[in-house]
Amino acid sequence: MENAILVTGGAGFIGSNFVLQWMREEPSPVINLDKLTYAGNLRNLESISSSRNYRFVQGDICERELLQELFAEHRPRAVVHFAAESHVDRSIHGPDDFVRTNVHGTFSLLEEARAYWTGLPEGSRQSFRFLHVSTDEVYGSLRSDDPPFSEITAYAPNSPYSASKAASDHLVRAYHHTYGLPTLTTNCSNNYGPYQFPEKLIPLMILNARAGKPLPVYGDGQNVRDWLFVEDHCEAIRIVLARGKVGETYNIGGWNEMPNMAIIETICSLLDELCPKDPVVPHRELVRFVKDRPGHDRRYAMDARKIERELGWKPRETFESGIRKTVAWYLKNQDWVQEVTSGSYRQWIAKQYT
């Protein structure tokens, strides 16, 4: 496929939203490499599966020979690297997969991208990009009166997940400064929206509330996060890929800093309005406080002024508009919900929150 981009992890939550948006808005073909772990779902991409500008490849970013074959066959003009293990709770119970995928996998991808890039003609070498998608969690935790994270905030990861992402960020930086690989890094705040696997806070609360199940809240529910609608995040990544300065990092935030309890109360109020015949109404009666998870960061907040100032991006959605769209999507897509909430998922939720 001429002029294609290679997307890793494009069947996951953010990756699939990015691929769908790219196919709507951009002319370049997409090669989607995804291992299809529990959080990867090809059903997210059914609407484009037969497109001539799209190809799916099932595989692991740690498989160096597969990466070599993909670079050689498709000659991509860019890599957009989403593939990662991304759930803090799972990293606490089983950190091995996080180190393997997030650290070793990113290293493997960087090595093969560097080998491919080195052999490109001069013009193609100049225009090639490696965009690494990361998280605000690499910066650690903020106190209530601390300023938001900026692109020069020192790294201080507190979980195996965030430590593995911090390591991958450092590798990407090193490959630019050591080898000249034209890299870009984005660090985003908490995403929400369609197709999010329901182990994360917002879809978990929507689905449990609808079923009349407890809404488990860690600690006192006052942990603060900045919330970013996934479509806004995907648009920001496209802009960074097109216009970002090589070697730079861009923080992508939603300017929606809210405690977890406020998120849950907003969801409950929306469901009270939209689903008045659910088993338990008002839905907030289902809230149950549970033991806090180890190393639970108190607050994240993102200073996204750099990307606004230099690239002209700002989020389109407020939290109020984005969460209404998200709740409506989950209500409308019950078949998708039933498919992803398999027996193994239910067993994991029971283990985690009991």
Side-chain angles (χ1 to χ4, degrees):
M1 291 184 179
E2 186 176 349
N3 206 36
I5 64 167
L6 172 62
V7 176
T8 70
F13 163 47
I14 304 175
S16 61
N17 275 283
F18 176 81
V19 170
L20 291 169
Q21 185 182 103
W22 183 277
M23 294 290 288
R24 291 195 307 268
E25 303 292 340
E26 303 283 352
S28 300
V30 173
I31 312 301
N32 178 9
L33 173 65
D34 196 294
K35 188 179 178 181
L36 293 184
T37 61
Y38 73 95
N41 189 347
L42 286 181
R43 186 167 180 180
N44 301 2
L45 300 161
E46 279 181 339
S47 63
I48 61 166
S49 60
S50 60
S51 170
R52 290 185 297 178
N53 273 356
Y54 173 76
R55 180 185 170 190
F56 172 73
V57 178
Q58 184 172 356
D60 190 333
I61 57 172
C62 293
E63 296 176 15
R64 298 280 290 271
E65 289 187 5
L66 173 61
L67 295 175
Q68 290 171 17
E69 292 170 3
L70 290 175
F71 279 114
E73 179 182 354
H74 297 290
R75 314 292 294 173
R77 66 176 180 87
V79 174
V80 183
H81 177 35
F82 292 97
E85 297 285 347
S86 65
H87 194 240
V88 173
D89 292 342
R90 288 181 185 266
S91 82
I92 293 169
H93 291 293
D96 303 53
D97 288 341
F98 288 75
V99 173
R100 181 183 182 276
T101 299
N102 300 355
V103 183
H104 183 67
T106 299
F107 164 72
S108 299
L109 187 61
L110 283 165
E111 276 287 271
E112 295 308 324
R114 178 170 72 96
Y116 164 71
W117 169 76
T118 301
L120 289 173
E122 180 62 23
S124 298
R125 288 184 81 240
Q126 290 294 323
S127 61
F128 181 81
R129 296 291 183 268
F130 185 107
L131 193 156
H132 172 61
V133 180
S134 190
T135 172
D136 57 1
E137 296 190 40
V138 298
Y139 298 123
S141 184
L142 293 169
R143 294 170 301 198
S144 60
D145 58 347
D146 285 336
F149 301 130
S150 75
E151 288 82 357
I152 60 171
T153 299
Y155 277 32
N158 291 320
S159 71
Y161 161 60
S162 56
S164 67
K165 288 298 289 185
S168 67
D169 290 9
H170 292 324
L171 282 170
V172 172
R173 174 184 169 87
Y175 270 67
H176 172 66
H177 286 278
T178 302
Y179 303 113
L181 187 69
T183 64
L184 299 155
T185 297
T186 58
N187 292 85
C188 69
S189 57
N190 279 36
N191 278 224
Y192 68 99
Y195 302 112
Q196 188 169 29
F197 192 77
E199 66 189 354
K200 299 295 179 76
L201 176 69
I202 287 176
L204 178 66
M205 294 300 132
I206 295 170
L207 302 187
N208 276 19
R210 291 235 56 213
K213 295 179 179 179
L215 306 182
V217 182
Y218 281 133
D220 61 2
Q222 295 306 306
N223 298 76
V224 172
R225 300 293 183 262
D226 173 48
W227 293 92
L228 173 66
F229 190 61
V230 67
E231 287 275 347
D232 284 335
H233 184 199
C234 294
E235 181 183 48
I237 292 170
R238 290 194 296 116
I239 289 171
V240 171
L241 185 63
R243 304 202 300 271
K245 184 180 178 181
V246 166
E248 290 290 308
T249 294
Y250 297 91
N251 281 356
I252 304 172
W255 300 108
N256 289 305
E257 194 179 335
M258 300 176 71
N260 287 344
M261 270 309 302
I263 300 294
I264 294 164
E265 288 169 358
T266 299
I267 292 169
C268 288
S269 294
L270 280 170
L271 291 176
D272 289 348
E273 171 193 337
L274 299 171
C275 306
K277 296 183 179 180
D278 278 353
V280 177
V281 179
H283 293 83
R284 59 176 50 84
E285 292 182 1
L286 294 165
V287 170
R288 301 290 185 273
F289 291 94
V290 299
K291 182 181 178 182
D292 210 354
R293 71 184 179 202
H296 195 181
D297 290 337
R298 189 63 172 174
R299 172 178 170 244
Y300 304 147
M302 288 290 262
D303 182 342
R305 288 178 295 178
K306 177 180 175 179
I307 189 173
E308 180 176 340
R309 180 178 66 249
E310 297 185 7
L311 304 181
W313 175 87
K314 62 174 63 176
R316 298 176 185 270
E317 300 291 342
T318 64
F319 183 75
E320 289 73 18
S321 64
I323 194 63
R324 183 171 284 273
K325 288 182 178 181
T326 301
V327 170
W329 187 89
Y330 279 92
L331 297 182
K332 184 179 178 182
N333 289 275
Q334 289 299 308
D335 289 347
W336 184 91
V337 169
Q338 291 298 321
E339 183 177 287
V340 301
T341 51
S342 63
S344 59
Y345 165 76
R346 289 194 294 271
Q347 291 164 15
W348 188 85
I349 288 293
K351 175 184 177 183
Q352 180 62 28
Y353 293 109
T354 300

